[in-house]
Amino acid sequence: MADYKAPVRDMSFVVNEVLKFDALRETLGYDDATADTIDAVFEEAGKLASEVVHPLNQIGDAEGAKLEDGVVSLPEGFKDAFDQYKEAGWATLHAAEEFGGMGMPHLVAVLVDEMFSAANHSWYMYASLTHGAVSAIQTWGTEEQKAKFLPKMSTCEWTGTMNLTEPHAGTDLGMLKTRAEPNGDGSYAITGTKIFISCGEHEMSENIVHLVLAKLPDAPAGTKGISMFIVPKFLVNDDGSLGDRNSLKCGSIEHKMGIKASATCVMNYEGATGYLIGAEHGGLKAMFTMMNAARLGVGVEGLAKAALAYQYATAYAKERIQGRALTGPQDPDKPADGILVHPDVRKMLLTIRSFVEGGRLLAGYTAMMLDVRHKHPDEATRTRAEDIVSLLTPVIKAFFTDEGFRGANLGMQCYGGHGYIVEWGAEQIARDARISMMYEGTNGVQAMDLVGRKLFWHGGRAVKAYFQELSETLALASDRDDLKDVAAQVQAAFASLQTATQYLAEQAQSSPNNLGGGATDYLRLFAVTAVGAMWLKAAMTAQDTLDAGTAEQDFYAVKPVLARFFAEQYVSEHSALLTRVQMGADTIMALDAAAF
């Protein structure tokens, strides 16, 4: 197994040089989040991720999570690493200062998430799910609920989960059967079964706070009848101490293809005590607060998987010798050349890297828009940022996880037959990566969320705002001789994206199947254009730094090359993607169901 080295230098480049966060810092009230402080956060978090968490990755895969007598045990070393994570305060990156949070921007927290997800996907889920639950309680909870649960959840002393899915109902939440009966004292008795509950039972934290979707006795049919409830594993006394065990238990854990050390539980609620969060029948809105946070996090998981695959495959490629260069031997004193002489190996590695570093830029930009959404003093600016985040969330979740899995497969391919062997660790990355395309809403659901909801909300306000951002980036790049070929590719993709958007707007009412038929291709078109535009920003920043003279020539010189590669290999897909979007759904829907 290769080592993992947290990409702290590149993260600093994203935050401090391309996105120029320091120019926004005081406006957003992040007085302490100076460039030096942010770099120190990346450095220290990177040490824990690389030196403590990553060495447990293969151990977790081999040992997995085990259920015995209602208790879930985790692999050796997991709890100790989690305790170090908590004690160092990394969990508090995501929390508000009033609940013990560190006061760092979302931009920093999202990139730290990438480090830990890359280091050990299974292990980090115990923390990352908690961050989503904290976000929901912080947004929708009463002051009493916030005071009771958030201080301990913000530090991961207590962890959190999301309980949506039931055996008969996945994405279609209107079919939920879990019931919530009033107890007469302000609490509710929650009864039902939930499945696929990540980290639903374990001993890593003192308490587990489940957020459970259920229906009240008078609930209207469908999704309008869903409410959300806080259902803790242990009841919490008025003084904050833990009381009796609640009437819930883990019935079984799933045996999975990957992320084996993340306990995926069947949770049985047997009249468990729960507390309404948000309004009655308002659970869907509260759920989306948690879900949107989770979807951005899952997108970053995909990015992290590709980043890890790249590091593994590159380390192998630098050592492996096989065959000779097409132009003649490059190392005649050895029996063969290193495999980096082969164009196809280089192309695989550059495909992974250009996605990873470009995706990191887009993830960082989106997280910074979250900071603007929460902290900017101007309401119109906050609304615009919220629109852009809502628009980009399904794009990031779907495209990043698609490419994360692709990157893992390409990384395996660089090893040849060794990539299929467990000891090298490459095949685990692919198995772990595959789930991110499916959970928190499959990628097909993300595409339908984009074309069916996000594009046309408020008369297309979000897409108009984001397209203005793309136009401004292209205007800055179009007059530069050094990057005009890259700018021309992104400009052409932007034109295709605008054409596709107009086509879908025309089809929305008259031919809704055409939206569904083109949704996945449209999302990819959106993604390659968005990441291509971020690469333009990064390439301009790097080239200007090179032109000014810098001691880090090697670091900056790579960026324009990667931007050009991404434009040639990803952005160039735009014309084919547009064609597929405009094909409509006639052929897709032509066969009767019986013909399948």
Side-chain angles (χ1 to χ4, degrees):
M1 182 183 73
D3 294 329
Y4 169 68
K5 182 173 175 56
V8 296
R9 179 64 187 91
D10 195 59
M11 290 180 174
S12 176
F13 174 71
V14 169
V15 174
N16 298 319
E17 298 177 63
V18 181
L19 298 178
K20 297 180 173 60
F21 179 74
D22 198 57
L24 267 175
R25 179 171 59 84
E26 291 185 4
T27 301
L28 300 183
Y30 289 116
D31 296 342
D32 296 332
T34 64
D36 287 344
T37 299
I38 289 170
D39 285 349
V41 167
F42 289 153
E43 194 69 39
E44 291 305 311
K47 287 179 183 177
L48 182 65
S50 301
E51 298 170 10
V52 177
V53 178
H54 184 60
L56 300 172
N57 195 36
Q58 275 193 306
I59 295 169
D61 187 56
E63 295 184 12
K66 297 179 175 65
L67 174 66
E68 187 173 350
D69 296 329
V71 176
V72 172
S73 61
L74 298 179
E76 184 179 356
F78 264 50
K79 188 175 188 306
D80 179 62
F82 200 68
D83 288 344
Q84 291 185 54
Y85 171 84
K86 290 186 292 186
E87 289 163 9
W90 295 118
T92 66
L93 273 176
H94 288 264
E97 289 181 89
E98 62 189 293
F99 301 113
M102 198 180 288
M104 283 289 113
H106 286 90
L107 171 55
V108 174
V110 160
L111 296 183
V112 170
D113 285 346
E114 184 205 322
M115 293 182 191
F116 287 117
S117 290
N120 193 327
H121 184 166
S122 291
W123 176 89
Y124 194 51
M125 287 185 69
Y126 293 88
S128 62
L129 283 162
T130 306
H131 304 326
V134 165
S135 176
I137 295 173
Q138 196 167 300
T139 304
W140 298 102
T142 65
E143 292 306 312
E144 181 184 1
Q145 289 169 343
K146 293 176 188 178
K148 179 173 283 190
F149 294 103
L150 289 185
K152 293 291 182 73
M153 293 180 72
S154 295
T155 60
C156 279
E157 292 173 78
W158 299 351
T159 53
T161 73
M162 194 163 41
N163 283 237
L164 282 68
T165 307
E166 297 182 3
H168 60 285
T171 305
D172 190 351
L173 295 176
M175 296 170 61
L176 293 181
K177 294 181 179 178
T178 299
R179 308 302 298 172
E181 299 283 347
N183 286 326
D185 60 358
S187 69
Y188 296 80
I190 311 298
T191 301
T193 295
K194 300 288 186 176
I195 65 170
F196 300 157
I197 308 308
S198 298
C199 311
E201 176 59 46
H202 56 85
E203 300 295 310
M204 294 258 274
S205 60
E206 297 172 352
N207 201 5
I208 304 172
V209 180
H210 302 284
L211 297 187
V212 182
L213 295 187
K215 290 190 172 184
L216 294 165
D218 61 347
T223 56
K224 293 181 179 179
I226 296 172
S227 299
M228 180 181 280
F229 299 86
I230 298 173
V231 189
K233 175 180 174 179
F234 289 99
L235 298 175
V236 181
N237 298 319
D238 291 340
D239 63 0
S241 63
L242 296 182
D244 295 336
R245 172 82 185 235
N246 210 345
S247 301
L248 59 93
K249 62 183 178 181
C250 172
S252 64
I253 57 175
E254 305 293 350
H255 302 282
K256 308 190 297 289
M257 172 181 173
I259 55 166
K260 294 184 177 181
S262 168
T264 303
C265 301
V266 174
M267 296 299 301
N268 296 316
Y269 295 88
E270 301 166 346
T273 300
Y275 308 93
L276 180 70
I277 177 170
E280 290 186 1
H281 318 314
L284 197 63
K285 188 178 288 188
M287 187 247 342
F288 270 111
T289 299
M290 186 165 50
M291 200 68 135
N292 283 334
R295 284 175 173 173
L296 181 57
V298 171
V300 171
E301 286 176 5
L303 177 65
K305 284 290 152 296
L308 184 61
Y310 176 78
Q311 290 196 20
Y312 274 34
T314 302
Y316 180 81
K318 287 180 176 180
E319 298 294 329
R320 178 69 171 174
I321 61 172
Q322 187 83 35
R324 291 295 188 186
L326 297 174
T327 55
Q330 301 297 296
D331 201 344
D333 294 334
K334 292 184 179 179
D337 290 330
I339 63 173
L340 278 171
V341 303
H342 303 305
D344 192 57
V345 173
R346 285 174 167 254
K347 186 176 181 180
M348 289 190 287
L349 291 172
L350 287 170
T351 297
I352 307 170
R353 183 171 176 179
S354 67
F355 158 65
V356 167
E357 294 187 16
R360 188 175 290 139
L361 289 158
L362 186 62
Y365 166 78
T366 306
M368 190 169 75
M369 288 298 100
L370 266 176
D371 289 314
V372 173
R373 159 66 184 88
H374 288 296
K375 305 274 277 187
H376 201 282
D378 179 65
E379 183 178 356
T381 302
R382 291 197 305 272
T383 299
R384 187 172 186 273
E386 182 175 25
D387 287 346
I388 289 173
V389 170
S390 295
L391 186 69
L392 289 178
T393 295
V395 175
I396 286 175
K397 194 281 180 184
F399 181 69
F400 281 24
T401 59
D402 281 348
E403 289 304 303
F405 183 61
R406 182 189 183 200
N409 277 324
L410 289 174
M412 282 181 65
Q413 195 72 14
C414 289
Y415 282 81
H418 290 291
Y420 207 63
I421 304 303
V422 169
E423 285 78 7
W424 289 94
E427 57 82 39
Q428 182 192 342
I429 302 173
R431 288 187 288 104
D432 286 350
R434 189 61 182 85
I435 185 59
S436 299
M437 299 165 70
M438 294 183 286
Y439 64 8
E440 303 305 342
T442 65
N443 287 356
V445 168
Q446 304 303 315
M448 285 306 301
D449 180 42
L450 177 65
V451 304
R453 299 172 68 227
K454 302 299 176 58
L455 284 186
F456 308 121
W457 267 358
H458 306 295
R461 189 177 71 190
V463 78
K464 289 172 187 174
Y466 185 64
F467 281 5
Q468 179 62 35
E469 292 264 321
L470 293 179
S471 297
E472 291 170 4
T473 298
L474 285 162
L476 289 172
S478 59
D479 294 332
R480 296 179 63 121
D481 290 338
D482 52 0
L483 293 165
K484 63 183 178 182
D485 54 338
V486 180
Q489 285 272 24
V490 179
Q491 181 67 65
F494 184 35
S496 290
L497 179 60
Q498 290 171 300
T499 301
T501 304
Q502 181 61 36
Y503 168 80
L504 293 178
E506 293 166 356
Q507 301 300 308
Q509 296 299 321
S510 61
S511 304
N513 276 341
N514 287 345
L515 258 69
T520 297
D521 290 311
Y522 178 82
L523 185 146
R524 186 172 182 87
L525 174 57
F526 202 115
V528 298
T529 306
V531 177
M534 294 307 302
W535 260 127
L536 268 179
K537 286 188 175 185
M540 288 189 286
T541 301
Q543 193 62 58
D544 290 346
T545 305
L546 286 166
D547 293 344
T550 175
E552 294 184 278
Q553 289 281 321
D554 291 346
F555 176 82
Y556 290 102
V558 169
K559 298 300 184 182
V561 176
L562 290 173
R564 187 164 288 109
F565 182 90
F566 190 88
E568 293 171 357
Q569 299 295 325
Y570 277 91
V571 179
S572 62
E573 297 176 27
H574 70 88
S575 56
L577 291 167
L578 173 60
T579 298
R580 293 205 292 268
V581 170
Q582 294 178 316
M583 283 293 180
D586 288 351
T587 304
I588 296 170
M589 305 304 293
L591 296 178
D592 292 333
F596 284 88

